[in-house]
Amino acid sequence: HLLRLIDDVLDLSQVEASRLPLAKEKVALAPLVRDSVETARSLLRDRGLYLRVEGPESIPSLYADPTRIRQVLLNLLTNAARFTESGGITVRVQVREEEVQVSVEDTGVGIPAEQLQDIFGEFHQVDTSLRRRYGGTGLGLAICREFVSLHDGRIWAESEVGKGSVFHFTLPLPSAAVVRR
């Protein structure tokens, strides 16, 4: 737990100091999503929760840092698993005109509407009580925000208490001129 916290703080400090290098390459998003989901499956083992992926089999390639995008997906999947006790998690991929949108939807506890604007802040916790039920450092979503931003994408959440949350992020599709190079 401490090592993960240290890694998260180091990642954030490098992003804020503009020293975190992105290793962008041509990435096939569908296998990256499937691999991330398979990695997260162990979090749900023996809990009776579903974990499924929805979206087209054919997704245009992107120019992205696969390590950082995988980290975004795993952070969102870890949070969804942590806050979901029944039902499950669905990862959706949609190809839009100029971007790909990835959504991680859970049937968990949800987030109060008044806190949605703050959840991507560093060290933000929805439950700040001393006896909070769910762990975490409050850095995962801040890191997601930074990594998605470095890729010129957007990230946001929708939620309803008692019904679950959906975290969306977008990554731009390369223009035809960039793909031909």
Side-chain angles (χ1 to χ4, degrees):
H1 178 72
L2 185 56
L3 283 175
R4 175 152 173 137
L5 174 62
I6 291 168
D7 284 345
D8 287 350
V9 169
L10 289 173
D11 281 347
L12 272 176
S13 66
Q14 286 183 342
V15 168
E16 289 173 357
S18 299
R19 286 194 317 231
L20 182 74
L22 287 183
K24 286 188 176 183
E25 60 189 66
K26 191 173 182 180
V27 174
L29 187 61
L32 193 143
V33 169
R34 281 193 304 272
D35 291 347
S36 299
V37 166
E38 287 310 309
T39 299
R41 230 174 255 293
S42 65
L43 299 170
L44 306 179
R45 192 170 290 129
D46 304 323
R47 293 184 52 204
L49 301 175
Y50 64 79
L51 176 55
R52 58 184 171 227
V53 178
E54 297 176 358
E57 280 299 313
S58 176
I59 300 171
S61 293
L62 307 169
Y63 285 94
D65 183 329
T67 301
R68 301 306 176 196
I69 299 307
R70 184 176 288 108
Q71 190 171 353
V72 169
L73 279 163
L74 288 173
N75 279 347
L76 296 177
L77 286 163
T78 299
N79 282 352
R82 182 181 302 135
F83 294 100
T84 302
E85 295 179 6
S86 64
I89 302 165
T90 302
V91 178
R92 281 190 191 83
V93 179
Q94 297 173 303
V95 179
R96 308 243 187 244
E97 220 170 277
E98 296 181 4
E99 63 188 10
V100 174
Q101 180 175 315
V102 179
S103 304
V104 177
E105 180 176 0
D106 65 60
T107 57
V109 297
I111 302 165
E114 65 274 7
Q115 292 205 29
L116 279 175
Q117 73 231 15
D118 299 324
I119 59 173
F120 293 99
E122 295 170 21
F123 299 106
H124 181 79
Q125 298 282 338
V126 171
D127 180 1
T128 58
S129 69
L130 291 175
R131 296 176 195 232
R132 30 185 213 134
R133 182 175 181 183
Y134 306 101
T137 61
L139 290 174
L141 291 177
I143 289 170
C144 290
R145 178 194 68 214
E146 295 300 331
F147 287 170
V148 169
S149 177
L150 285 171
H151 284 84
D152 298 320
R154 300 171 290 122
I155 189 167
W156 70 98
E158 301 169 18
S159 188
E160 189 174 337
V161 173
K163 295 195 176 184
S165 302
V166 186
F167 286 81
H168 309 274
F169 70 93
T170 63
L171 298 169
L173 288 170
S175 67
V178 172
V179 172
R180 284 193 295 265
R181 287 187 199 161

